[in-house]
Structure formats: structure tokens, C-alpha cells
Amino acid sequence: MKWKTRIGAGVTALAAVLGVVSAPAATAAPATALAAPDISLANIKTHLNQLQTIANNNGGTRSPRGGGYAASVSYVENLLKQAGYTTTRQTCTSCIGQSQNLIAEWPQGDASQVIMLGAHLDSVSAGPGINDNGSGSASILETALTLARTNPAMAKRVRFGWWADEESGLVGSKYYVNNLPSAERTKIKTYLNFDMIGSKNWGYFVYDDVASVKAIFDEYFSSIGIQTEGDSEGDGRSDHASFKSAGIPVGGLATGAGDIKSSSQAQKWGGTAGAAFDNCYHRACDTTSNIPDTPLEKNSDAIGYALWKLAVATTQGNDFSVNLNPTAGTVQPGQSLQVAVSTATTSGSAQSISLSASGLPAGATASFSPATVQSGGSSTLTIATSSSTPTGTFPITVTADGASVDHTASFSLGVGTSSCAPVTNGTRLDIPDYPGAAVNSTATVGGCARNASGTTKVEVHITHTYRGDLVLDLVAPDGTAYRLKNSSSDSTPNLDTTYTVNASSEAANGAWQLRLRDVGPADTGYLSSWTLTV
């Protein structure tokens, strides 16, 4: 961590514009958030031991002024490549020794929505920098490897950055951000920074730049009974400042650097009041002996929690849908009807579904064949009425009781009532201007009537004045065509003649078409049509 002029707050309002993900509210079942796995403390300590060895082999430091930084990059990159990450080394021309940023991206999730995690990988020349900042670098490395091992479905793209030359003034991260095209900057929805998360006299500090991001970390710490504070010491002093200045929402964690722990903080977190959070800050004693397990473990698990919350897709439980066909029907008292019940598995695995119906009028019963299906299967609902069943319209609820969830579907039952739509009498049908044709026609559609068996029939009466070889056909909803015969003498062609016709069909409900056709020598098929709905 490098001391730097504090950058003012103010990106909170940008959160909505840039799409920062807030802590999601509870969603309706069956969608559930996939729990983050444990980030292995043992593996993190293995990485820290390797960084210590690299420092030992390079004059006790991992500064870019020697070979320690480059060796640290190689160690991290090799592990990420083996895990399946796409890695890129970016030479920072403004950094000491033109040292390199290391970028690694997990090739899954929406590439237009990037959640980025970063930590600086360099140390000061005075020491190996195991807390500052091997702790953040090793923790996000192990988080990245855990993501690869578990390989969950991703909602967003995840990118990691290990920054060069932070200790000279955030140089590596500034170079990265400044060289991002505008379109690429807007893809980064949240940047999370981790600089010094294993201080020996630790506190639990959460960056408070964006409230919705801070809430995610606070949610985790609250779940394990730890109070947090906003990180005022780290404001503007680490690589998140480079992203914040570009309008990218930021968040992160820290355990303290050279500031002094207060008595109230010691009471809250333990440790020594009046002492620095890390008395080896920027000193040669910042070795593996300078990092206790407790803050390192809890902060690394908080990193995993936030990453899974922000980028990993929710999992869908077992679910299904249920549909009825038809959704309405009419019977006379004493009669029955059947309804097709279909189900489909919409997520997860198929499940057993028990079917039942409620809302039946007096004297009516409902039965299903079969009464239990696997989602994806079908059943037939039979609704039977008795002679005493009252007339009227009754809303029937079909309940599909699944092993995981329940769903309902509605059916409108008419008893002794017509399901036909209101009819229109004397409807004017405008016939187009056709040589020798009449200019208008009127049609009267009779009301739907029930015969003894309860079947709906429709009667259509048409009076049409015409000339020549024009005829009208009536086409029922089932496609049956009825040629409309002249009711009077047709012995005098080309004179005005009146048609009066009756047509009946069992398929009464729906769209009936009246089609005009020239059946003379120049017959070219139907000339025009009109639609009547009954």
C-alpha cells in the first residue's frame, strides 16, 4: 500500500449508471444463490511461502527494481494457465523497469458485464511484502483457482489483475485503466481491491465508496458475528483509486497499515490498542511471520462470498408448468366434458405431480386419468355434472401439487349456458367494386342454439343482391365450405337475384368466412372475403 493524496468520494451515484450489482433481495423459490465454497487458508499460505522464497532469492524483496517482482508474476501466471485462465501480461511503460501487469480472465459469463478483482503484486525495496501485498495477491489467486476448480455457471465475466509498481504511486493500475478503451471501461461493473488483509494487529475494514458493494461484504461478516468499519486509511492509497477516478464502482477489504488501533477498536476486534495495525508495514520484517491466520482466513472467505454473489449464476430448483386445453367449456346439466392437462419441466429434474380440482358446483365431480404424473406428462380431466347441478358459470381451479413446488391453472365451466359470443344482426358487408357485381350485402348471424345432445350449432342467414356469375361461399371454422344457394329462381342470369341461405355446423365457435367468387369462364378464385366471429 502506498501513501497518496486522498481522492474524494462520489462514485456512489454512478453505481446505477454503470450497473454495479447490489446485494440482491431475496427472490422467490426455486431460484437460489449458489453458496461460495471455502477459500483454502492452507493453499493461501502455500502461495505466501512461495512469495517469501522468491523474495529470499532476490535480495529479500519482490520490488520491480530487482528480479523478485518478475518471478512473482511467473509464479502466479503459471498456476492460472494450468487452471484454464486466459492470461495476458501488459508491459507498463511508465512502471519501474517497465514491469508488467498480469491480467487473467475466466472465459465464462457475460463478457459485457465484468466483475474485476485486483491486488498489487510488488513490494517495497525494504522487505518481501508478505502482508503488503502478498496477502491480497495470494488470496485472490486462491479465489481464482477455487473458481476454476468448482466451475459454476457464471452470470458475469470475472477478471483478475495483479498490479505492477503500486508502491511508486499506483503506477501499474493507472496504466491499465488509462489504456482501456471507453467501451471496455464501461464493461467493468465493479472493481474489488485487496491490499493488506493479513495485518498482525488487524481490524476489519470494508471500503465504503459504494454502499451496495460494501453491503455484500458486511453481509458476510455479519453472518460470522464480526463488526466492520469503513476503510478511511486506505482511501486513495491503493489501486482501487485508479478505477474510481475513471468512474468505475469500487469496493474492497483491508486490515490496516500504519495507523494506530484505538481502544474501541481493540475492544471490538481484540489486539493491542495504541499500536499500529501492522508494525512491520514497509519494513524488512513483513515476512510470513507477520501474518496471523485469523484475518487472512476470514477476509479470503469474504472475497469468495462477494465474488459468488456478484458473478456466479443462481441455480434453479426443480420446477414445472401446467396448462389446460381448452380453458373454458359448457355442458348441460347431467352431461360431462373433458379437458387435456399438460405439464412441462421448466428447470431442474422432473418431479411427481398430484392433480386435483376445486370450485365445482353442487352435483359436479372431477376426475383425472391419471391422477398423478411426472412433470412433462399429461392427464385428462373429466368434469361430470348431474341433473341437479345449477346453471351458471363456475371458475374451476386445477391444482398441480409437485414434490418441490405447486402450481394452479384455471378453467371456466358453464352449465346450461351458451359459450357463443354475442351476435350482430344486419351486419353490412361492403363488396368491392367489381364489374357487374352488387355493391352491398347484409348478413344476419343467428344466436347459438343447443340441440338435444348439447352440441352448439350456428345458423347464418344472408341476403345478397348480385349480378353475373358471382357466388358466395360460407366457410366454417373447421374449414368446411358451404356454397350459398339461391332461394329464388336463378333462371334469368345477369339480373338482380336474392339469395337466402341457411348453414349449420357442429364447429360453430370461431371465425366464419364469407367468400366472394366469380365462377364464370374467367374464374380466378376468391375475389374477396369477410370474417364473422360467433
Side-chain angles (χ1 to χ4, degrees):
M1 178 181 289
K2 178 69 178 179
W3 281 102
K4 191 168 178 68
T5 303
R6 177 174 177 146
I7 295 179
V11 300
T12 304
L14 286 168
V17 176
L18 296 178
V20 62
V21 180
S22 61
T27 56
T32 56
L34 185 65
D38 177 67
I39 308 300
S40 170
L41 174 64
N43 290 350
I44 294 172
K45 293 173 73 172
T46 296
H47 303 321
L48 292 177
N49 287 333
Q50 289 297 321
L51 295 179
Q52 179 70 64
T53 298
I54 289 170
N56 294 343
N57 294 336
N58 289 275
T61 179
R62 293 183 303 104
S63 165
R65 288 182 169 85
Y69 177 75
S72 299
V73 171
S74 295
Y75 170 74
V76 173
E77 183 181 38
N78 288 338
L79 291 176
L80 292 167
K81 282 185 173 180
Q82 293 170 17
Y85 279 83
T86 302
T87 63
T88 304
R89 291 196 187 201
Q90 180 190 46
T91 299
C92 171
T93 57
S94 54
C95 291
I96 293 175
Q98 294 197 355
S99 48
Q100 295 177 318
N101 292 321
L102 175 63
I103 310 300
E105 189 157 310
W106 186 239
Q108 294 184 28
D110 185 353
S112 67
Q113 300 186 73
V114 176
I115 304 299
M116 190 166 189
L117 291 77
H120 74 87
L121 190 53
D122 64 320
S123 74
V124 294
S125 298
I130 299 304
N131 184 33
D132 184 18
N133 180 40
S135 60
S137 293
S139 292
I140 67 168
L141 171 59
E142 187 55 32
T143 301
L145 298 178
T146 303
L147 182 68
R149 282 193 297 268
T150 56
N151 193 24
M154 303 300 296
K156 296 179 177 64
R157 189 64 57 96
V158 177
R159 185 181 301 163
F160 295 86
W162 286 264
W163 309 119
D165 206 10
E166 186 266 359
E167 297 292 1
S168 297
L170 321 181
V171 184
S173 58
K174 284 180 182 177
Y175 185 87
Y176 174 80
V177 173
N178 291 340
N179 283 278
L180 277 176
S182 177
E184 292 301 313
R185 286 189 189 182
T186 60
K187 291 179 182 179
I188 302 176
K189 302 307 179 185
T190 308
Y191 171 76
L192 304 177
N193 194 67
F194 305 98
D195 189 356
M196 300 183 66
I197 59 171
S199 303
K200 199 164 189 178
N201 191 29
W202 68 90
Y204 290 100
F205 299 102
V206 180
Y207 295 5
D208 53 5
D209 303 86
V210 178
S212 58
V213 179
K214 182 178 185 295
I216 295 174
F217 288 112
D218 285 343
E219 185 177 74
Y220 169 76
F221 283 112
S222 177
S223 73
I224 59 174
I226 291 177
Q227 300 178 61
T228 66
E229 291 184 7
D231 182 32
S232 59
E233 182 182 14
D235 278 349
R237 293 178 52 190
S238 192
D239 295 295
H240 62 290
S242 302
F243 291 82
K244 181 176 178 177
S245 65
I248 297 171
V250 299
L253 301 174
T255 50
D259 278 7
I260 304 301
K261 177 179 278 190
S262 68
S263 57
S264 62
Q265 289 171 328
Q267 185 176 8
K268 180 163 49 178
W269 296 321
T272 305
F277 289 101
D278 182 0
N279 61 6
C280 286
Y281 175 58
H282 283 186
R283 296 173 59 194
C285 59
D286 186 9
T287 65
T288 51
S289 298
N290 190 45
I291 291 188
D293 289 351
T294 298
L296 190 63
E297 180 177 29
K298 296 188 185 308
N299 278 280
S300 60
D301 284 340
I303 295 171
Y305 182 88
L307 175 59
W308 258 252
K309 194 95 170 181
L310 288 169
V312 174
T314 57
T315 58
Q316 295 292 320
N318 299 333
D319 201 4
F320 65 93
S321 62
V322 58
N323 292 285
L324 306 180
N325 185 29
T327 58
T330 302
V331 296
Q332 296 301 307
Q335 297 174 345
S336 62
L337 58 76
Q338 292 186 326
V339 181
V341 182
S342 61
T343 66
T345 301
T346 57
S347 66
S349 302
Q351 60 186 289
S352 178
I353 301 169
S354 298
L355 299 169
S356 61
S358 59
L360 295 162
T365 60
S367 60
F368 293 86
S369 180
T372 301
V373 298
Q374 286 290 108
S375 55
S378 300
S379 179
T380 299
L381 164 63
T382 299
I383 298 177
T385 63
S386 67
S387 59
S388 62
T389 299
T391 60
T393 301
F394 304 91
I396 308 300
T397 299
V398 173
T399 299
D401 184 358
S404 301
V405 291
D406 298 341
H407 291 290
T408 61
S410 298
F411 181 82
S412 179
L413 173 65
V415 180
T417 60
S418 172
S419 60
C420 296
V423 298
T424 302
N425 294 322
T427 303
R428 181 182 177 86
L429 305 176
D430 293 322
I431 297 176
D433 185 11
Y434 180 78
V439 295
N440 67 79
S441 176
T442 61
T444 300
V445 183
C448 297
R450 300 278 172 185
N451 61 16
S453 66
T455 303
T456 302
K457 287 182 180 284
V458 66
E459 199 171 72
V460 180
H461 302 274
I462 297 172
T463 300
H464 175 58
T465 304
Y466 81 112
R467 291 186 179 90
D469 297 319
L470 298 177
V471 298
L472 284 173
D473 284 348
L474 175 67
V475 183
D478 63 1
T480 304
Y482 299 89
R483 178 60 50 83
L484 303 188
K485 301 298 183 181
N486 188 2
S487 63
S488 61
S489 172
D490 194 19
S491 60
T492 311
N494 300 319
L495 296 178
D496 290 349
T497 307
T498 298
Y499 280 86
T500 301
V501 298
N502 296 326
S504 297
S505 173
E506 297 284 332
N509 297 328
W512 292 71
Q513 285 195 324
L514 292 168
R515 295 178 178 175
L516 175 68
R517 182 169 184 163
D518 183 347
V519 294
D523 184 1
T524 56
Y526 290 114
L527 301 173
S528 186
S529 66
W530 304 263
T531 299
L532 300 175
T533 302
V534 297

